[in-house]
Amino acid sequence: MATTAAAEIADRHPPIAVASLPHLTDHFPTLQSRTNPLQNNQFFHPIDGFYATSTDVVLRRIAFDLSRKPSPGHVAYYRAGPRRSVYFEPESVRAAIVTCGGLCPGMNTVIRELVVGLWELYGVRQIHGIVAGYRGFYSSEPVELSLKLVDDWHKRGGTALRTSRGGFDLRRIVDAIQDRGFNQVYIIGGDGTMRGAVKIFEEVCRRNLQVAVTGIPKTVDNDIGIIDRSFGFQTAVEMAQQAISAAHVEAESAVNGIGLVKLMGRSTGHIALHATLSSRDVDCCLIPEMEFYLEGDGGLFPFLERRLKENGHAVLVVAEGAGQDTIPRTEAQKEERDESGNPVFLDVGGWLKTELKDWWARTHPGELFTVKYIDPTYMIRAVPANATDNSYCTLLAHSAIHGVMAGYTGFVSGPINGNYSYIPLKDVAEAKNEVNTRDHKWAWVRSVTNQPDFVKTRLFDPENQSSSGISS
């Protein structure tokens, strides 16, 4: 009976497919392993189960509907953590750490913990910081990093290594890695940075260099896929609540007052969503994943008018990427790009403020009305990480170090369903983490704000054999 039951379960649940993870021995099959230095660390005493093995995996998906036909297979990733064997001699390691793109809470913590982990756990002494992003590989001298130098970096916002956008010159970057003898490269950045890291990894392999490349995903917007969340995100949500609270006070203190807060989120609205859920002062939340319209049945303006009549004030939160297709643009603005090649977004907050004032003056002439616009973008991303993000940054950094020392390369370390894993760099670079407006989280937002869904339905009119637009 037990055998039959097991067979039935196996039939219903397909086998696990473990994502292939690049390793230095793929190109250097004679590379010798050695005992992990942690085994003999005088302060660190590994216990049973301390080392992860090649059979320790983490499932990408853990929730299933058993009434549906199972998918072809379950994707899994190798669990992060120290391995019993390593492929680097500590004294031969020359590590390079670089931060790219915009600022994010926790960047300095990641740098610090990479230095501390390499130094204290594995005895590495040659650790270098690359200044000012990718261009720093070929345009400036690296900075020698030590325990004393990075001691208090986790208490500071920004990045002590400085950062920049653009400057990605693949040939010159890999030339610098090769000429300076770096054999471990730790790249901290967002999705664009991770795409650059993929190219660096591929070029390193093409040149047959014995260099391990790893990415540590950084994006305050939380828009990188596969992993549970990006570091700095929880700090950003916490800081966003302060802006929302200020907007609420301003709106509540005025006659027909509206507090308008623009939060970060170019392509995803995670900060706006979670700040709305945790604040409970928000009347409407607008995100890039959701289209909206201003006037007419079910539009934003009629909704806000009802709220002003009911409560005398309203708070509106908008992610920076929301409504970009609605805001009028000149031909020149349509073609404009930033240093990283991303489209330049127009200020949706400033546009909404103008539209709100024009609407009220047109429909309620002579009546008092106030819009207080708050944009806390640079305040949020420049602050030090909170306690939760600091802890998270430490685990990310140490997971990356353990993976690199074990010979893995071309990977990203990050939590999947709460378990730290090693994910192929290319998979992370291609994955997006967008808000699913059909899942329970967005339903929670709607239940908290009772805002319109901005979905127009069309009902059939039997008398004229046509459809009439009705807003739901």
Side-chain angles (χ1 to χ4, degrees), residues 142-178:
V143 177
E144 290 191 21
L145 302 177
S146 65
L147 293 184
K148 184 176 181 180
L149 181 64
V150 305
D151 181 58
D152 65 345
W153 283 13
H154 61 296
K155 300 176 183 178
R156 298 160 52 181
T159 166
L161 294 180
R162 290 180 285 171
T163 186
S164 69
R165 296 187 185 276
F168 185 82
D169 187 319
L170 180 60
R171 180 186 61 79
R172 297 174 75 184
I173 290 171
V174 180
D175 282 350
I177 291 172
Q178 187 172 5

PDB file of all heavy atoms in Angstrom, residues 142-178:
ATOM      1  N   PRO A 142      42.092  51.237  -7.831  1.00  0.00           N
ATOM      2  CA  PRO A 142      41.238  50.639  -6.800  1.00  0.00           C
ATOM      3  C   PRO A 142      41.701  51.025  -5.399  1.00  0.00           C
ATOM      4  O   PRO A 142      42.868  51.374  -5.195  1.00  0.00           O
ATOM      5  CB  PRO A 142      41.383  49.135  -7.039  1.00  0.00           C
ATOM      6  CG  PRO A 142      42.644  48.969  -7.798  1.00  0.00           C
ATOM      7  CD  PRO A 142      42.854  50.211  -8.575  1.00  0.00           C
ATOM      8  N   VAL A 143      40.770  50.985  -4.464  1.00  0.00           N
ATOM      9  CA  VAL A 143      41.050  51.319  -3.071  1.00  0.00           C
ATOM     10  C   VAL A 143      41.251  50.032  -2.285  1.00  0.00           C
ATOM     11  O   VAL A 143      40.452  49.097  -2.392  1.00  0.00           O
ATOM     12  CB  VAL A 143      39.874  52.118  -2.455  1.00  0.00           C
ATOM     13  CG1 VAL A 143      40.124  52.398  -0.982  1.00  0.00           C
ATOM     14  CG2 VAL A 143      39.643  53.403  -3.228  1.00  0.00           C
ATOM     15  N   GLU A 144      42.326  49.959  -1.501  1.00  0.00           N
ATOM     16  CA  GLU A 144      42.551  48.786  -0.651  1.00  0.00           C
ATOM     17  C   GLU A 144      41.597  48.851   0.539  1.00  0.00           C
ATOM     18  O   GLU A 144      41.520  49.865   1.238  1.00  0.00           O
ATOM     19  CB  GLU A 144      44.000  48.736  -0.179  1.00  0.00           C
ATOM     20  CG  GLU A 144      44.994  48.425  -1.280  1.00  0.00           C
ATOM     21  CD  GLU A 144      46.384  48.115  -0.746  1.00  0.00           C
ATOM     22  OE1 GLU A 144      46.484  47.762   0.450  1.00  0.00           O
ATOM     23  OE2 GLU A 144      47.339  48.221  -1.517  1.00  0.00           O
ATOM     24  N   LEU A 145      40.869  47.771   0.751  1.00  0.00           N
ATOM     25  CA  LEU A 145      39.885  47.712   1.824  1.00  0.00           C
ATOM     26  C   LEU A 145      40.391  46.833   2.959  1.00  0.00           C
ATOM     27  O   LEU A 145      40.960  45.773   2.726  1.00  0.00           O
ATOM     28  CB  LEU A 145      38.555  47.170   1.290  1.00  0.00           C
ATOM     29  CG  LEU A 145      37.926  47.955   0.130  1.00  0.00           C
ATOM     30  CD1 LEU A 145      36.655  47.270  -0.347  1.00  0.00           C
ATOM     31  CD2 LEU A 145      37.631  49.390   0.544  1.00  0.00           C
ATOM     32  N   SER A 146      40.146  47.295   4.187  1.00  0.00           N
ATOM     33  CA  SER A 146      40.571  46.547   5.383  1.00  0.00           C
ATOM     34  C   SER A 146      39.473  46.613   6.427  1.00  0.00           C
ATOM     35  O   SER A 146      38.528  47.413   6.316  1.00  0.00           O
ATOM     36  CB  SER A 146      41.854  47.141   5.955  1.00  0.00           C
ATOM     37  OG  SER A 146      41.616  48.468   6.423  1.00  0.00           O
ATOM     38  N   LEU A 147      39.597  45.804   7.472  1.00  0.00           N
ATOM     39  CA  LEU A 147      38.604  45.807   8.542  1.00  0.00           C
ATOM     40  C   LEU A 147      38.491  47.173   9.189  1.00  0.00           C
ATOM     41  O   LEU A 147      37.395  47.651   9.490  1.00  0.00           O
ATOM     42  CB  LEU A 147      38.975  44.762   9.607  1.00  0.00           C
ATOM     43  CG  LEU A 147      38.912  43.289   9.210  1.00  0.00           C
ATOM     44  CD1 LEU A 147      39.227  42.421  10.417  1.00  0.00           C
ATOM     45  CD2 LEU A 147      37.536  42.924   8.664  1.00  0.00           C
ATOM     46  N   LYS A 148      39.625  47.810   9.416  1.00  0.00           N
ATOM     47  CA  LYS A 148      39.616  49.113  10.082  1.00  0.00           C
ATOM     48  C   LYS A 148      38.921  50.157   9.227  1.00  0.00           C
ATOM     49  O   LYS A 148      38.136  50.977   9.728  1.00  0.00           O
ATOM     50  CB  LYS A 148      41.045  49.550  10.384  1.00  0.00           C
ATOM     51  CG  LYS A 148      41.134  50.856  11.178  1.00  0.00           C
ATOM     52  CD  LYS A 148      42.567  51.187  11.541  1.00  0.00           C
ATOM     53  CE  LYS A 148      42.634  52.481  12.364  1.00  0.00           C
ATOM     54  NZ  LYS A 148      44.035  52.814  12.723  1.00  0.00           N
ATOM     55  N   LEU A 149      39.171  50.137   7.920  1.00  0.00           N
ATOM     56  CA  LEU A 149      38.593  51.133   7.026  1.00  0.00           C
ATOM     57  C   LEU A 149      37.078  51.023   6.954  1.00  0.00           C
ATOM     58  O   LEU A 149      36.369  52.039   6.949  1.00  0.00           O
ATOM     59  CB  LEU A 149      39.191  50.976   5.625  1.00  0.00           C
ATOM     60  CG  LEU A 149      38.700  51.970   4.559  1.00  0.00           C
ATOM     61  CD1 LEU A 149      39.101  53.392   4.942  1.00  0.00           C
ATOM     62  CD2 LEU A 149      39.239  51.603   3.185  1.00  0.00           C
ATOM     63  N   VAL A 150      36.544  49.813   6.905  1.00  0.00           N
ATOM     64  CA  VAL A 150      35.096  49.623   6.696  1.00  0.00           C
ATOM     65  C   VAL A 150      34.326  49.476   7.997  1.00  0.00           C
ATOM     66  O   VAL A 150      33.123  49.209   7.973  1.00  0.00           O
ATOM     67  CB  VAL A 150      34.829  48.386   5.804  1.00  0.00           C
ATOM     68  CG1 VAL A 150      35.586  48.498   4.501  1.00  0.00           C
ATOM     69  CG2 VAL A 150      35.195  47.074   6.522  1.00  0.00           C
ATOM     70  N   ASP A 151      34.985  49.659   9.118  1.00  0.00           N
ATOM     71  CA  ASP A 151      34.403  49.330  10.423  1.00  0.00           C
ATOM     72  C   ASP A 151      33.007  49.898  10.638  1.00  0.00           C
ATOM     73  O   ASP A 151      32.109  49.189  11.109  1.00  0.00           O
ATOM     74  CB  ASP A 151      35.332  49.827  11.540  1.00  0.00           C
ATOM     75  CG  ASP A 151      34.798  49.492  12.915  1.00  0.00           C
ATOM     76  OD1 ASP A 151      34.581  48.289  13.192  1.00  0.00           O
ATOM     77  OD2 ASP A 151      34.580  50.421  13.718  1.00  0.00           O
ATOM     78  N   ASP A 152      32.786  51.175  10.300  1.00  0.00           N
ATOM     79  CA  ASP A 152      31.484  51.786  10.591  1.00  0.00           C
ATOM     80  C   ASP A 152      30.663  52.068   9.347  1.00  0.00           C
ATOM     81  O   ASP A 152      29.699  52.841   9.387  1.00  0.00           O
ATOM     82  CB  ASP A 152      31.689  53.084  11.375  1.00  0.00           C
ATOM     83  CG  ASP A 152      32.415  54.151  10.566  1.00  0.00           C
ATOM     84  OD1 ASP A 152      33.002  53.797   9.514  1.00  0.00           O
ATOM     85  OD2 ASP A 152      32.405  55.333  10.978  1.00  0.00           O
ATOM     86  N   TRP A 153      31.003  51.453   8.239  1.00  0.00           N
ATOM     87  CA  TRP A 153      30.306  51.763   6.986  1.00  0.00           C
ATOM     88  C   TRP A 153      28.832  51.374   7.017  1.00  0.00           C
ATOM     89  O   TRP A 153      28.011  51.989   6.332  1.00  0.00           O
ATOM     90  CB  TRP A 153      31.013  51.076   5.802  1.00  0.00           C
ATOM     91  CG  TRP A 153      32.269  51.780   5.387  1.00  0.00           C
ATOM     92  CD1 TRP A 153      32.928  52.756   6.077  1.00  0.00           C
ATOM     93  CD2 TRP A 153      33.011  51.564   4.185  1.00  0.00           C
ATOM     94  NE1 TRP A 153      34.044  53.153   5.390  1.00  0.00           N
ATOM     95  CE2 TRP A 153      34.119  52.448   4.225  1.00  0.00           C
ATOM     96  CE3 TRP A 153      32.869  50.715   3.102  1.00  0.00           C
ATOM     97  CZ2 TRP A 153      35.055  52.494   3.205  1.00  0.00           C
ATOM     98  CZ3 TRP A 153      33.803  50.758   2.080  1.00  0.00           C
ATOM     99  CH2 TRP A 153      34.884  51.642   2.124  1.00  0.00           C
ATOM    100  N   HIS A 154      28.489  50.376   7.810  1.00  0.00           N
ATOM    101  CA  HIS A 154      27.093  49.937   7.850  1.00  0.00           C
ATOM    102  C   HIS A 154      26.179  50.975   8.491  1.00  0.00           C
ATOM    103  O   HIS A 154      24.947  50.865   8.405  1.00  0.00           O
ATOM    104  CB  HIS A 154      26.977  48.613   8.610  1.00  0.00           C
ATOM    105  CG  HIS A 154      27.423  48.697  10.044  1.00  0.00           C
ATOM    106  ND1 HIS A 154      28.717  48.985  10.411  1.00  0.00           N
ATOM    107  CD2 HIS A 154      26.740  48.520  11.203  1.00  0.00           C
ATOM    108  CE1 HIS A 154      28.818  48.980  11.719  1.00  0.00           C
ATOM    109  NE2 HIS A 154      27.635  48.716  12.228  1.00  0.00           N
ATOM    110  N   LYS A 155      26.759  51.989   9.121  1.00  0.00           N
ATOM    111  CA  LYS A 155      25.962  53.035   9.756  1.00  0.00           C
ATOM    112  C   LYS A 155      25.742  54.231   8.827  1.00  0.00           C
ATOM    113  O   LYS A 155      25.096  55.201   9.212  1.00  0.00           O
ATOM    114  CB  LYS A 155      26.657  53.506  11.037  1.00  0.00           C
ATOM    115  CG  LYS A 155      26.847  52.406  12.072  1.00  0.00           C
ATOM    116  CD  LYS A 155      27.622  52.919  13.276  1.00  0.00           C
ATOM    117  CE  LYS A 155      27.863  51.790  14.281  1.00  0.00           C
ATOM    118  NZ  LYS A 155      28.655  52.258  15.451  1.00  0.00           N
ATOM    119  N   ARG A 156      26.305  54.136   7.625  1.00  0.00           N
ATOM    120  CA  ARG A 156      26.248  55.252   6.690  1.00  0.00           C
ATOM    121  C   ARG A 156      25.361  54.923   5.493  1.00  0.00           C
ATOM    122  O   ARG A 156      25.300  53.793   5.036  1.00  0.00           O
ATOM    123  CB  ARG A 156      27.662  55.584   6.193  1.00  0.00           C
ATOM    124  CG  ARG A 156      28.591  56.024   7.285  1.00  0.00           C
ATOM    125  CD  ARG A 156      30.066  55.887   6.909  1.00  0.00           C
ATOM    126  NE  ARG A 156      30.407  56.525   5.642  1.00  0.00           N
ATOM    127  CZ  ARG A 156      31.633  56.506   5.130  1.00  0.00           C
ATOM    128  NH1 ARG A 156      32.624  55.892   5.773  1.00  0.00           N
ATOM    129  NH2 ARG A 156      31.867  57.111   3.983  1.00  0.00           N
ATOM    130  N   GLY A 157      24.674  55.943   4.980  1.00  0.00           N
ATOM    131  CA  GLY A 157      23.913  55.766   3.767  1.00  0.00           C
ATOM    132  C   GLY A 157      24.800  55.896   2.540  1.00  0.00           C
ATOM    133  O   GLY A 157      25.989  56.239   2.635  1.00  0.00           O
ATOM    134  N   GLY A 158      24.238  55.614   1.372  1.00  0.00           N
ATOM    135  CA  GLY A 158      24.988  55.738   0.127  1.00  0.00           C
ATOM    136  C   GLY A 158      25.989  54.618  -0.061  1.00  0.00           C
ATOM    137  O   GLY A 158      25.819  53.507   0.449  1.00  0.00           O
ATOM    138  N   THR A 159      27.063  54.909  -0.799  1.00  0.00           N
ATOM    139  CA  THR A 159      28.141  53.945  -0.993  1.00  0.00           C
ATOM    140  C   THR A 159      29.482  54.649  -0.840  1.00  0.00           C
ATOM    141  O   THR A 159      29.742  55.651  -1.539  1.00  0.00           O
ATOM    142  CB  THR A 159      28.072  53.249  -2.362  1.00  0.00           C
ATOM    143  OG1 THR A 159      29.315  52.572  -2.622  1.00  0.00           O
ATOM    144  CG2 THR A 159      27.807  54.223  -3.494  1.00  0.00           C
ATOM    145  N   ALA A 160      30.306  54.159   0.046  1.00  0.00           N
ATOM    146  CA  ALA A 160      31.623  54.754   0.278  1.00  0.00           C
ATOM    147  C   ALA A 160      32.538  54.583  -0.928  1.00  0.00           C
ATOM    148  O   ALA A 160      33.520  55.319  -1.068  1.00  0.00           O
ATOM    149  CB  ALA A 160      32.265  54.119   1.515  1.00  0.00           C
ATOM    150  N   LEU A 161      32.205  53.633  -1.811  1.00  0.00           N
ATOM    151  CA  LEU A 161      33.008  53.429  -3.022  1.00  0.00           C
ATOM    152  C   LEU A 161      32.576  54.364  -4.143  1.00  0.00           C
ATOM    153  O   LEU A 161      33.181  54.366  -5.215  1.00  0.00           O
ATOM    154  CB  LEU A 161      32.901  51.971  -3.498  1.00  0.00           C
ATOM    155  CG  LEU A 161      33.508  50.919  -2.577  1.00  0.00           C
ATOM    156  CD1 LEU A 161      33.318  49.528  -3.179  1.00  0.00           C
ATOM    157  CD2 LEU A 161      34.991  51.191  -2.346  1.00  0.00           C
ATOM    158  N   ARG A 162      31.507  55.094  -3.907  1.00  0.00           N
ATOM    159  CA  ARG A 162      30.894  55.941  -4.934  1.00  0.00           C
ATOM    160  C   ARG A 162      30.351  55.085  -6.083  1.00  0.00           C
ATOM    161  O   ARG A 162      30.709  53.923  -6.229  1.00  0.00           O
ATOM    162  CB  ARG A 162      31.876  57.000  -5.444  1.00  0.00           C
ATOM    163  CG  ARG A 162      32.163  58.068  -4.393  1.00  0.00           C
ATOM    164  CD  ARG A 162      33.130  59.103  -4.941  1.00  0.00           C
ATOM    165  NE  ARG A 162      34.491  58.591  -4.997  1.00  0.00           N
ATOM    166  CZ  ARG A 162      35.495  59.223  -5.598  1.00  0.00           C
ATOM    167  NH1 ARG A 162      35.258  60.360  -6.238  1.00  0.00           N
ATOM    168  NH2 ARG A 162      36.705  58.707  -5.592  1.00  0.00           N
ATOM    169  N   THR A 163      29.466  55.679  -6.833  1.00  0.00           N
ATOM    170  CA  THR A 163      28.795  54.917  -7.879  1.00  0.00           C
ATOM    171  C   THR A 163      28.536  55.819  -9.085  1.00  0.00           C
ATOM    172  O   THR A 163      28.748  57.034  -9.018  1.00  0.00           O
ATOM    173  CB  THR A 163      27.463  54.327  -7.366  1.00  0.00           C
ATOM    174  OG1 THR A 163      26.898  53.474  -8.362  1.00  0.00           O
ATOM    175  CG2 THR A 163      26.469  55.426  -7.018  1.00  0.00           C
ATOM    176  N   SER A 164      28.115  55.215 -10.166  1.00  0.00           N
ATOM    177  CA  SER A 164      27.758  55.981 -11.363  1.00  0.00           C
ATOM    178  C   SER A 164      26.910  55.089 -12.254  1.00  0.00           C
ATOM    179  O   SER A 164      26.864  53.870 -12.081  1.00  0.00           O
ATOM    180  CB  SER A 164      29.012  56.441 -12.116  1.00  0.00           C
ATOM    181  OG  SER A 164      29.681  55.323 -12.694  1.00  0.00           O
ATOM    182  N   ARG A 165      26.245  55.723 -13.201  1.00  0.00           N
ATOM    183  CA  ARG A 165      25.513  54.981 -14.220  1.00  0.00           C
ATOM    184  C   ARG A 165      26.328  54.993 -15.507  1.00  0.00           C
ATOM    185  O   ARG A 165      27.131  55.878 -15.752  1.00  0.00           O
ATOM    186  CB  ARG A 165      24.144  55.599 -14.456  1.00  0.00           C
ATOM    187  CG  ARG A 165      23.216  55.544 -13.247  1.00  0.00           C
ATOM    188  CD  ARG A 165      21.824  56.025 -13.608  1.00  0.00           C
ATOM    189  NE  ARG A 165      20.953  56.090 -12.447  1.00  0.00           N
ATOM    190  CZ  ARG A 165      20.278  55.053 -11.953  1.00  0.00           C
ATOM    191  NH1 ARG A 165      20.396  53.869 -12.521  1.00  0.00           N
ATOM    192  NH2 ARG A 165      19.498  55.193 -10.902  1.00  0.00           N
ATOM    193  N   GLY A 166      26.100  53.989 -16.338  1.00  0.00           N
ATOM    194  CA  GLY A 166      26.814  53.936 -17.613  1.00  0.00           C
ATOM    195  C   GLY A 166      28.274  53.550 -17.408  1.00  0.00           C
ATOM    196  O   GLY A 166      28.661  52.964 -16.395  1.00  0.00           O
ATOM    197  N   GLY A 167      29.104  53.885 -18.399  1.00  0.00           N
ATOM    198  CA  GLY A 167      30.526  53.579 -18.316  1.00  0.00           C
ATOM    199  C   GLY A 167      30.861  52.123 -18.542  1.00  0.00           C
ATOM    200  O   GLY A 167      31.978  51.691 -18.254  1.00  0.00           O
ATOM    201  N   PHE A 168      29.887  51.354 -19.089  1.00  0.00           N
ATOM    202  CA  PHE A 168      30.153  49.930 -19.271  1.00  0.00           C
ATOM    203  C   PHE A 168      30.883  49.696 -20.593  1.00  0.00           C
ATOM    204  O   PHE A 168      30.298  49.756 -21.671  1.00  0.00           O
ATOM    205  CB  PHE A 168      28.849  49.128 -19.243  1.00  0.00           C
ATOM    206  CG  PHE A 168      29.074  47.633 -19.296  1.00  0.00           C
ATOM    207  CD1 PHE A 168      29.389  46.934 -18.153  1.00  0.00           C
ATOM    208  CD2 PHE A 168      28.981  46.945 -20.497  1.00  0.00           C
ATOM    209  CE1 PHE A 168      29.602  45.570 -18.192  1.00  0.00           C
ATOM    210  CE2 PHE A 168      29.194  45.580 -20.549  1.00  0.00           C
ATOM    211  CZ  PHE A 168      29.511  44.895 -19.390  1.00  0.00           C
ATOM    212  N   ASP A 169      32.182  49.454 -20.492  1.00  0.00           N
ATOM    213  CA  ASP A 169      33.034  49.132 -21.637  1.00  0.00           C
ATOM    214  C   ASP A 169      33.604  47.745 -21.381  1.00  0.00           C
ATOM    215  O   ASP A 169      34.583  47.588 -20.640  1.00  0.00           O
ATOM    216  CB  ASP A 169      34.143  50.168 -21.786  1.00  0.00           C
ATOM    217  CG  ASP A 169      34.963  49.997 -23.054  1.00  0.00           C
ATOM    218  OD1 ASP A 169      35.262  48.830 -23.404  1.00  0.00           O
ATOM    219  OD2 ASP A 169      35.332  51.003 -23.682  1.00  0.00           O
ATOM    220  N   LEU A 170      32.978  46.722 -21.972  1.00  0.00           N
ATOM    221  CA  LEU A 170      33.294  45.338 -21.632  1.00  0.00           C
ATOM    222  C   LEU A 170      34.771  45.019 -21.792  1.00  0.00           C
ATOM    223  O   LEU A 170      35.392  44.440 -20.898  1.00  0.00           O
ATOM    224  CB  LEU A 170      32.445  44.387 -22.479  1.00  0.00           C
ATOM    225  CG  LEU A 170      32.665  42.889 -22.227  1.00  0.00           C
ATOM    226  CD1 LEU A 170      32.347  42.526 -20.788  1.00  0.00           C
ATOM    227  CD2 LEU A 170      31.814  42.063 -23.192  1.00  0.00           C
ATOM    228  N   ARG A 171      35.335  45.387 -22.925  1.00  0.00           N
ATOM    229  CA  ARG A 171      36.735  45.041 -23.168  1.00  0.00           C
ATOM    230  C   ARG A 171      37.650  45.665 -22.128  1.00  0.00           C
ATOM    231  O   ARG A 171      38.510  44.988 -21.552  1.00  0.00           O
ATOM    232  CB  ARG A 171      37.154  45.502 -24.571  1.00  0.00           C
ATOM    233  CG  ARG A 171      38.613  45.175 -24.922  1.00  0.00           C
ATOM    234  CD  ARG A 171      39.032  45.776 -26.245  1.00  0.00           C
ATOM    235  NE  ARG A 171      38.948  47.226 -26.232  1.00  0.00           N
ATOM    236  CZ  ARG A 171      39.871  48.024 -25.680  1.00  0.00           C
ATOM    237  NH1 ARG A 171      40.929  47.498 -25.078  1.00  0.00           N
ATOM    238  NH2 ARG A 171      39.730  49.335 -25.724  1.00  0.00           N
ATOM    239  N   ARG A 172      37.453  46.943 -21.843  1.00  0.00           N
ATOM    240  CA  ARG A 172      38.328  47.631 -20.894  1.00  0.00           C
ATOM    241  C   ARG A 172      38.123  47.121 -19.470  1.00  0.00           C
ATOM    242  O   ARG A 172      39.077  47.049 -18.691  1.00  0.00           O
ATOM    243  CB  ARG A 172      38.085  49.140 -20.969  1.00  0.00           C
ATOM    244  CG  ARG A 172      38.440  49.736 -22.327  1.00  0.00           C
ATOM    245  CD  ARG A 172      38.060  51.205 -22.416  1.00  0.00           C
ATOM    246  NE  ARG A 172      38.980  52.044 -21.665  1.00  0.00           N
ATOM    247  CZ  ARG A 172      38.823  53.361 -21.520  1.00  0.00           C
ATOM    248  NH1 ARG A 172      37.755  53.960 -22.056  1.00  0.00           N
ATOM    249  NH2 ARG A 172      39.696  54.075 -20.836  1.00  0.00           N
ATOM    250  N   ILE A 173      36.904  46.767 -19.131  1.00  0.00           N
ATOM    251  CA  ILE A 173      36.636  46.236 -17.786  1.00  0.00           C
ATOM    252  C   ILE A 173      37.357  44.906 -17.581  1.00  0.00           C
ATOM    253  O   ILE A 173      38.051  44.701 -16.574  1.00  0.00           O
ATOM    254  CB  ILE A 173      35.120  46.076 -17.562  1.00  0.00           C
ATOM    255  CG1 ILE A 173      34.444  47.444 -17.458  1.00  0.00           C
ATOM    256  CG2 ILE A 173      34.842  45.256 -16.297  1.00  0.00           C
ATOM    257  CD1 ILE A 173      32.931  47.386 -17.458  1.00  0.00           C
ATOM    258  N   VAL A 174      37.184  43.983 -18.534  1.00  0.00           N
ATOM    259  CA  VAL A 174      37.808  42.659 -18.380  1.00  0.00           C
ATOM    260  C   VAL A 174      39.327  42.764 -18.530  1.00  0.00           C
ATOM    261  O   VAL A 174      40.078  42.028 -17.869  1.00  0.00           O
ATOM    262  CB  VAL A 174      37.201  41.657 -19.378  1.00  0.00           C
ATOM    263  CG1 VAL A 174      37.851  40.283 -19.213  1.00  0.00           C
ATOM    264  CG2 VAL A 174      35.692  41.535 -19.159  1.00  0.00           C
ATOM    265  N   ASP A 175      39.793  43.690 -19.356  1.00  0.00           N
ATOM    266  CA  ASP A 175      41.243  43.933 -19.430  1.00  0.00           C
ATOM    267  C   ASP A 175      41.786  44.320 -18.056  1.00  0.00           C
ATOM    268  O   ASP A 175      42.842  43.840 -17.624  1.00  0.00           O
ATOM    269  CB  ASP A 175      41.552  45.062 -20.422  1.00  0.00           C
ATOM    270  CG  ASP A 175      41.499  44.604 -21.875  1.00  0.00           C
ATOM    271  OD1 ASP A 175      41.420  43.377 -22.106  1.00  0.00           O
ATOM    272  OD2 ASP A 175      41.524  45.468 -22.764  1.00  0.00           O
ATOM    273  N   ALA A 176      41.059  45.215 -17.370  1.00  0.00           N
ATOM    274  CA  ALA A 176      41.490  45.670 -16.052  1.00  0.00           C
ATOM    275  C   ALA A 176      41.465  44.529 -15.035  1.00  0.00           C
ATOM    276  O   ALA A 176      42.377  44.392 -14.209  1.00  0.00           O
ATOM    277  CB  ALA A 176      40.600  46.816 -15.583  1.00  0.00           C
ATOM    278  N   ILE A 177      40.419  43.706 -15.098  1.00  0.00           N
ATOM    279  CA  ILE A 177      40.344  42.542 -14.200  1.00  0.00           C
ATOM    280  C   ILE A 177      41.547  41.633 -14.429  1.00  0.00           C
ATOM    281  O   ILE A 177      42.204  41.170 -13.480  1.00  0.00           O
ATOM    282  CB  ILE A 177      39.029  41.773 -14.427  1.00  0.00           C
ATOM    283  CG1 ILE A 177      37.833  42.604 -13.952  1.00  0.00           C
ATOM    284  CG2 ILE A 177      39.058  40.415 -13.717  1.00  0.00           C
ATOM    285  CD1 ILE A 177      36.483  42.019 -14.316  1.00  0.00           C
ATOM    286  N   GLN A 178      41.856  41.403 -15.684  1.00  0.00           N
ATOM    287  CA  GLN A 178      42.985  40.525 -16.033  1.00  0.00           C
ATOM    288  C   GLN A 178      44.316  41.161 -15.653  1.00  0.00           C
ATOM    289  O   GLN A 178      45.176  40.509 -15.031  1.00  0.00           O
ATOM    290  CB  GLN A 178      42.940  40.233 -17.534  1.00  0.00           C
ATOM    291  CG  GLN A 178      43.956  39.202 -18.000  1.00  0.00           C
ATOM    292  CD  GLN A 178      43.736  38.818 -19.456  1.00  0.00           C
ATOM    293  OE1 GLN A 178      42.893  39.386 -20.150  1.00  0.00           O
ATOM    294  NE2 GLN A 178      44.490  37.828 -19.919  1.00  0.00           N
TER     295      GLN A 178
END
